[in-house]
Amino acid sequence: MSSWLTNLMHKNKQGYIFSIETGHLQNLIGASPELLVKKEGNIVTINPLAGSRKQTFNEVKDADLVKELLNSEKDLHEHKIVVDYMCEKLHPYLSDIEFNKRPMILYTDTMIHLSTVITGKLKNDTMNALDLAELLHPTPAIYGEPQKQTLAFIQETEPFKRGLYTGLVGYMDSNGDGEWVIAIRCAEINNEDVTLFAGAGIVNSSLQDSEFNEISAKFTTMLDAMGLKEN
């Protein structure tokens, strides 16, 4: 597993790499692209991602994908749901909230994402990084929106148990500063069994084949780290 971790660190310069021992011969390892929250003093930063395309690593084709993504009503709607949720949750606790009014582009090892960076100043200096993470988690990208209805639907229809997938991974120091990310693009290792996890945001205008291809592309983060190729 140490070689997988090394590969993740080498190939995912924009990701948040984690490896956690969860029990005897059990580990959670991954490269999350998604910063849920970062706190430095009274400055808070959040970077939701929603809306994606698979990189081709061809400059011309990827430029076309970026243009398509920035003008996609479906992806912009999906992204707005998450950003609006974040801002609504943060508004009572932060002042001077700022964010880019149009999504920007963030590249990961395999994907092109719509990205918004939200910043603000804490009104209450007793809140720590974990308090903020618990305030925001789970986001609509994890459990949908409105959450009560979507969570009931997920629990009824999703054919597997998530376990630690989509949970929180991060750190916090004695001052309450720290970073927390969402455990996605990851693998759960149980003795000799390995289960990979990845997902996609589904909205009314989602197309089955497109979402399947997006999830397949996201699996390559862990497959590449393991030295495997998708069949």
Side-chain angles (χ1 to χ4, degrees):
M1 193 187 72
S2 61
S3 63
W4 299 355
L5 183 61
T6 300
N7 290 340
L8 282 174
M9 295 175 68
H10 177 71
K11 295 179 179 181
N12 293 269
K13 304 299 185 183
Q14 298 295 324
Y16 297 86
I17 314 303
F18 57 89
S19 177
I20 302 170
E21 186 175 322
T22 59
H24 179 60
L25 298 178
Q26 295 179 325
N27 292 271
L28 182 72
I29 181 173
S32 177
E34 187 135 0
L35 173 65
L36 180 64
V37 63
K38 178 180 181 180
K39 177 185 175 295
E40 293 180 299
N42 70 336
I43 303 300
V44 175
T45 304
I46 299 96
N47 186 197
L49 308 177
S52 308
R53 294 289 187 276
K54 181 182 179 180
Q55 280 198 68
T56 67
F57 302 100
N58 176 288
E59 186 175 346
V60 174
K61 291 181 179 179
D62 282 347
D64 287 341
L65 289 175
V66 166
K67 184 177 180 180
E68 175 187 306
L69 194 54
L70 290 171
N71 290 280
S72 165
E73 289 188 15
K74 177 265 183 188
D75 291 285
L76 291 171
H77 173 60
E78 179 184 333
H79 191 82
K80 186 176 185 298
I81 290 172
V82 181
V83 173
D84 286 352
Y85 168 90
M86 296 291 201
C87 290
E88 181 180 348
K89 286 286 187 178
L90 292 166
H91 188 264
Y93 303 97
L94 299 186
S95 63
D96 301 329
I97 296 176
E98 296 182 356
F99 59 94
N100 44 290
K101 301 305 180 184
R102 291 277 296 176
M104 301 181 295
I105 292 295
L106 184 143
Y107 289 87
T108 63
D109 61 312
T110 60
M111 305 296 296
I112 305 169
H113 294 285
L114 291 178
S115 167
T116 293
V117 177
I118 305 169
T119 61
K121 295 180 181 178
L122 273 175
K123 297 178 182 179
N124 183 347
D125 60 8
T126 64
M127 290 191 77
N128 60 43
L130 184 55
D131 292 331
L132 290 162
E134 290 178 332
L135 172 70
L136 296 170
H137 186 270
T139 73
I142 303 304
Y143 273 167
E145 182 72 4
Q147 287 192 356
K148 185 176 181 180
Q149 293 92 323
T150 54
L151 177 56
F153 176 79
I154 289 169
Q155 290 175 330
E156 181 181 341
T157 60
E158 199 165 69
F160 67 95
K161 299 296 183 182
R162 292 191 181 186
L164 298 176
Y165 171 58
T166 71
L168 294 175
V169 180
Y171 74 91
M172 185 173 67
D173 66 18
S174 59
N175 295 318
D177 293 344
E179 291 178 284
W180 293 91
V181 305
I182 303 172
I184 53 178
R185 317 280 168 84
C186 59
E188 199 168 60
I189 302 166
N190 186 358
N191 199 353
E192 295 183 352
D193 295 327
V194 179
T195 304
L196 304 188
F197 294 94
I202 308 299
V203 294
N204 285 341
S205 52
S206 292
L207 299 175
Q208 178 175 306
D209 288 347
S210 296
E211 302 296 343
F212 178 85
N213 290 336
E214 179 179 329
I215 294 171
S216 296
K218 291 173 178 176
F219 274 128
T220 60
T221 294
M222 285 305 306
L223 289 172
D224 285 349
M226 298 162 65
L228 301 174
K229 296 293 182 184
E230 183 183 4
N231 290 330

